[in-house]
Amino acid sequence: MKAFLHHYRFFFGGLIVFSIITISLFYSALKPAKTLPIYNPADVNPELVDSTIQYKSKYHTIADFSFVNQNGKTITQKDYDGKIYVADFFFTTCGSICPKMTTNLEEVQKAIRNNPNVMLLSHTVFPETDSVPVLKQYAIKHHVNDSKWNLVTGDKKAIYAMARKSYLAVKLGKPEELYDMVHTENFVLVDQKRRVRGFYDGTNKEDVQRLIEDIAFLSEQ
């Protein structure tokens, strides 16, 4: 028996290698390819979407915008043309979820530092207090790279409209105070065509890691 196995050792070795390769290819063929959904208002929790567009199920894209960043520069959609980016909503005096969200966005910033096609965009929900100098101090505190990450302020109605009608990510605030919003933990992933491709819990490390992986996936498309 030993002599038989020794004589045919190359045959059996080749058969084993062939079997491993065949099984691997078969598994790869069965394993579904990674995809990311394209979100429309109808796909999202209605609490996070303006009532005028809740039933829109196709062709949703981020609207044009114009805000002012931490350096006093006007930032528009043109600064994000052809870019993948992550959007969120915060305010500088928030003592609950914002510090953790901002710390996690710092990690995202580190992950994309060498990718020129990815940026970040954070909107204050309290523009009446988060002025340009206030945003600048916040940016310095959190190691914001000005070429990658804009912290923006501007007209409250415009920020409200972006949150509810474009990013589909923010709940209504007090009904007696028009255009007030309850900021959420959502990070919103936007692709090169201004489409919403994902929502992530900005306070959760595992979800933030998933965001980083999805950014890498979109970058390869």
Side-chain angles (χ1 to χ4, degrees), residues 35-55:
T35 60
L36 288 180
I38 298 171
Y39 287 94
N40 291 286
D43 304 319
V44 179
N45 180 351
E47 292 183 0
L48 303 173
V49 183
D50 190 86
S51 60
T52 61
I53 61 167
Q54 283 178 357
Y55 301 102

Side-chain angles (χ1 to χ4, degrees), residues 10 22 24 52 64 77 124 145 154 186:
F10 294 113
T22 301
S24 298
T52 61
D64 292 352
Q77 72 284 348
T124 177
N145 178 342
N186 283 325

